[in-house]
Amino acid sequence: MEPSSSSSGSVNGSSLMVMTESHSQSIVVQKDKAVTSMSRAYLENKAVSDAKSLIAELCRQFYAMGWVSGTGGSVTVKVHDDSVPRLDQLIVMSPSGFQKERMVPEDMYVLSPDGFILSSPASKPYPYKPPKCTDCALLFMKVYGMCNAGAVIHSHGMESCLVTMINPFLKEFRITHMEMIKGIQGHSYSDELVVPIIENTSHEGELTEPIAEAIRAYPKATAVLVRNHGVYIWGDSWISAKTQAECYHYLFDAAIKLHQLGLDCSAPCHGPIGKVNGFWGSGGNFSRSFRTAAFGLDYMMEPSQHCILLDNEGTATPTSFITDVLFPYALDNVGKHLAATYGSKETQEDINLLRSQIQDDFEQGVSGAVPIPPDYVGKELVIASLVANVESMMRSDRKVIALKQLQGHIWRTGFQSNELVGVVFDDVPEALERWDASGIKVYVYSSGSRESQQLLFAKSNYGDLRKYFCGIFDTTMGNKKETRSYSEIFQTVGVDKPSDILFVTNVFEEAVAARAAGLEVIISVRPGNGPLPENHGFRTIKSLLEI
């Protein structure tokens, strides 16, 4: 649900000023007349009162935990009313600049689902400042609209701040094989938890669009870290948000302490990452074959002498497998997949992401976009319009996140049912085994999602090849034809200099971008690959065994 773009509106008889980007520092309220007795009764009913009391109680708890000290941080919840759909429920938010541990229910703001302030707290005598709704209001409304959340917590907890400062270049926090990961929605103990990191700004409202971009890029995430600032965490209910917030802070703290011990929180074995503060982790035993640390501090690591970054399509996997097998499979099964899984949370998230993308397409005049009707018209009509849009995107070779995510879920079903088997060139397994034996770290950088690449290599015609890879990158690192994407990868893998990375691709534009970032580059010439420009200036190979 996006904040209204109009400057004023009428809700329950009150003329109010609505939140807009120009009001990012505060939300202005104008009352031309008193709220009617009916609306006043509704705003003071038990459900609203309970939500206000809940926020006051939570803020006292969070203050004791160090999350909302110094008037920082904020909490918002939706008023739970079984008779009202989630999207239409009222919203309660904490005030700005207020001692969170001293708040009472009467200090809270009540907003409409569209972002109108319906109820404001009364002014208090000196030394209190005039009441003001939280500076996080625009961000909270963005999360409510994009994630169908029931509550959002903004914490200034020290762990959430420090974990973003260990490496100022990384755009993600990663951790795996920790019991508390099970407390994060959609994750299990052995999963890799990934939390996006965005850069801080001078004013809270300026974070709105960066957070929206992070949510689109990481649809599975339920949190966004803000460097040198804190974290935003949301859930289906206040219980879910609170539970996840406690787990996130635990994991941030664990990652910091593991790093201090020289241990890698992103590796399943949590093995050593190198020499830290004058001592070695795990008794001084260090192997170059260990995965790079999640924080990748080059000056704290034993540098790798060899690192290979592989493109997938046209380099490790035949282009024909992607174009003639995977894409047609997704196209043929999109309707079946949506119908079979329509009620699942994952598919509803896919649909919401598609709706957002299609709305953007309409606004930008993209041809082939078909309006998605509201859910109440019926499942069949919604699915039919979604299929039409997906078909249009695929036929025009769109590489948008919404499409990639849905394709990945369709392919997952195909791989799990053994209807799909990943195909790699015959020389790939031998080359991977040879590099692994030599201590060379190998990564993949693909236009496809991480999940689809993992499925392809896990269910390949040569068995499970994932053991040979230290990591898989996708376009959340950036466009493959942009130089800064390879600079980001260089900062992530933790080598001494960009030229320590050898990038192998079949795409000339990617080769140019990687070389501009300082990487060594080889172009893979395989059957089905496109032609290269004359005098392109790159070394070429026909087999990975030539490396």
Side-chain angles (χ1 to χ4, degrees):
M1 182 182 305
E2 304 290 342
S4 172
S5 60
S6 63
S7 61
S8 63
S10 179
V11 180
N12 290 332
S14 294
S15 178
L16 307 172
M17 190 72 72
V18 72
M19 295 188 299
T20 66
E21 292 296 333
S22 62
H23 296 91
S24 61
Q25 295 311 300
S26 63
I27 302 173
V28 181
V29 183
Q30 295 177 337
K31 295 187 177 179
D32 293 340
K33 59 182 179 178
V35 180
T36 65
S37 59
M38 180 181 298
S39 63
R40 172 62 65 188
Y42 184 71
L43 291 175
E44 295 177 354
N45 70 11
K46 186 177 186 302
V48 175
S49 298
D50 287 348
K52 290 181 176 181
S53 298
L54 173 64
I55 290 182
E57 179 186 353
L58 289 176
C59 283
R60 285 192 292 272
Q61 294 180 22
F62 295 163
Y63 177 82
M65 300 165 76
W67 296 359
V68 293
S69 58
T71 79
S74 191
V75 179
T76 176
V77 300
K78 285 204 168 184
V79 176
H80 180 70
D81 186 339
D82 288 327
S83 65
V84 179
R86 170 71 66 82
L87 291 176
D88 298 327
Q89 291 172 352
L90 296 182
I91 296 167
V92 178
M93 291 187 188
S94 61
S96 176
F98 205 98
Q99 304 290 329
K100 297 298 190 295
E101 78 281 12
R102 295 179 59 85
M103 288 194 310
V104 294
E106 291 74 24
D107 294 322
M108 306 304 162
Y109 283 80
V110 180
L111 284 73
S112 74
D114 298 325
F116 288 88
I117 296 179
L118 303 179
S119 175
S120 305
S123 296
K124 293 186 177 184
Y126 179 85
Y128 292 98
K129 295 181 179 180
K132 174 186 173 185
C133 192
T134 173
D135 291 334
C136 302
L138 286 170
L139 288 78
F140 286 159
M141 295 303 298
K142 181 68 73 172
V143 174
Y144 277 134
M146 296 184 70
C147 305
N148 195 24
V152 190
I153 297 168
H154 174 40
S155 165
H156 284 193
M158 183 66 73
E159 312 95 321
S160 63
C161 188
L162 291 179
V163 83
T164 69
M165 299 168 68
I166 295 177
N167 186 328
F169 300 105
L170 290 188
K171 304 299 183 183
E172 299 172 340
F173 164 77
R174 293 175 172 273
I175 192 168
T176 188
H177 284 71
M178 295 285 287
E179 182 67 13
M180 292 295 270
I181 294 176
K182 291 164 61 175
I184 307 301
Q185 178 180 301
H187 290 78
S188 62
Y189 162 76
S190 59
D191 286 341
E192 183 179 45
L193 175 66
V194 182
V195 182
I197 303 173
I198 63 174
E199 300 305 317
N200 196 24
T201 58
S202 300
H203 303 293
E204 204 103 27
E206 296 172 357
L207 292 170
T208 305
E209 189 51 39
I211 280 187
E213 292 176 359
I215 291 172
R216 295 186 192 103
Y218 296 82
K220 193 176 180 181
T222 56
V224 174
L225 283 159
V226 183
R227 199 182 313 280
N228 304 348
H229 182 152
V231 64
Y232 287 83
I233 301 166
W234 58 91
D236 296 336
S237 66
W238 72 268
I239 293 177
S240 172
K242 177 178 179 290
T243 300
Q244 291 185 88
E246 292 169 353
C247 293
Y248 276 119
H249 283 80
Y250 175 97
L251 293 167
F252 298 153
D253 187 45
I256 293 166
K257 290 176 179 176
L258 284 170
H259 188 75
Q260 290 172 337
L261 293 171
L263 302 178
D264 182 1
C265 69
S266 72
C269 60
H270 295 157
I273 59 175
K275 194 173 184 180
V276 181
N277 297 332
F279 65 91
W280 293 94
S282 297
N285 296 320
F286 177 73
S287 168
R288 296 177 187 270
S289 63
F290 273 104
R291 283 191 57 187
T292 306
F295 303 117
L297 282 181
D298 299 345
Y299 58 84
M300 285 189 176
M301 298 184 59
E302 183 78 0
S304 300
Q305 300 303 308
H306 304 284
C307 182
I308 295 176
L309 180 66
L310 289 178
D311 179 29
N312 188 8
E313 180 181 350
T315 298
T317 298
T319 300
S320 59
F321 175 70
I322 308 297
T323 58
D324 299 341
V325 179
L326 286 186
F327 285 166
Y329 183 88
L331 191 60
D332 293 342
N333 288 275
V334 60
K336 176 182 175 182
H337 171 81
L338 290 173
T341 63
Y342 191 84
S344 70
K345 181 169 183 170
E346 182 179 82
T347 295
Q348 285 301 308
E349 291 174 350
D350 290 347
I351 292 173
N352 289 337
L353 200 59
L354 281 168
R355 284 184 187 273
S356 177
Q357 179 63 54
I358 292 162
Q359 180 62 38
D360 289 344
D361 289 350
F362 273 117
E363 294 174 359
Q364 296 173 17
V366 176
S367 63
V370 177
I372 307 297
D375 292 336
Y376 62 75
V377 304
K379 167 182 168 182
E380 290 74 17
L381 288 177
V382 173
I383 290 177
S385 60
L386 288 168
V387 170
N389 280 284
V390 169
E391 290 178 349
S392 176
M393 289 179 184
M394 292 187 65
R395 291 197 172 100
S396 59
D397 197 25
R398 299 282 303 282
K399 290 180 170 49
V400 295
I401 292 174
L403 178 60
K404 290 181 184 179
Q405 178 171 300
L406 178 61
Q407 286 175 328
H409 294 154
I410 297 172
W411 291 333
R412 179 179 61 199
T413 300
F415 281 111
Q416 290 176 345
S417 65
N418 294 321
E419 292 180 347
L420 288 174
V421 175
V423 175
V424 298
F425 289 108
D426 294 339
D427 55 88
V428 170
E430 184 179 347
L432 291 174
E433 186 173 3
R434 180 188 298 177
W435 296 336
D436 182 69
S438 300
I440 297 174
K441 294 191 289 186
V442 182
Y443 297 82
V444 174
Y445 184 27
S446 172
S447 297
S449 68
R450 285 192 179 98
E451 181 179 28
S452 62
Q453 302 309 306
Q454 290 170 345
L455 288 167
L456 190 156
F457 289 114
K459 299 276 190 175
S460 83
N461 52 333
Y462 282 91
D464 191 346
L465 301 175
R466 291 176 299 175
K467 63 183 178 181
Y468 295 117
F469 297 110
C470 293
I472 295 177
F473 300 109
D474 59 14
T475 50
T476 57
M477 296 298 292
N479 190 299
K480 294 185 68 181
K481 296 180 181 179
E482 293 181 2
T483 299
R484 63 187 180 90
S485 304
Y486 299 92
S487 297
E488 289 287 343
I489 290 176
F490 156 63
Q491 296 291 347
T492 301
V493 302
V495 293
D496 274 350
K497 52 188 181 298
S499 59
D500 288 338
I501 303 173
L502 171 62
F503 179 50
V504 188
T505 181
N506 69 304
V507 180
F508 172 71
E509 292 84 354
E510 295 176 5
V512 171
R515 185 163 64 181
L519 279 65
E520 294 292 326
V521 181
I522 291 177
I523 292 183
S524 171
V525 179
R526 300 280 201 178
N529 288 358
L532 295 171
E534 292 185 7
N535 304 317
H536 53 75
F538 291 95
R539 176 191 169 191
T540 62
I541 59 171
K542 295 183 178 179
S543 167
L544 296 184
L545 295 175
E546 296 178 46
I547 300 174

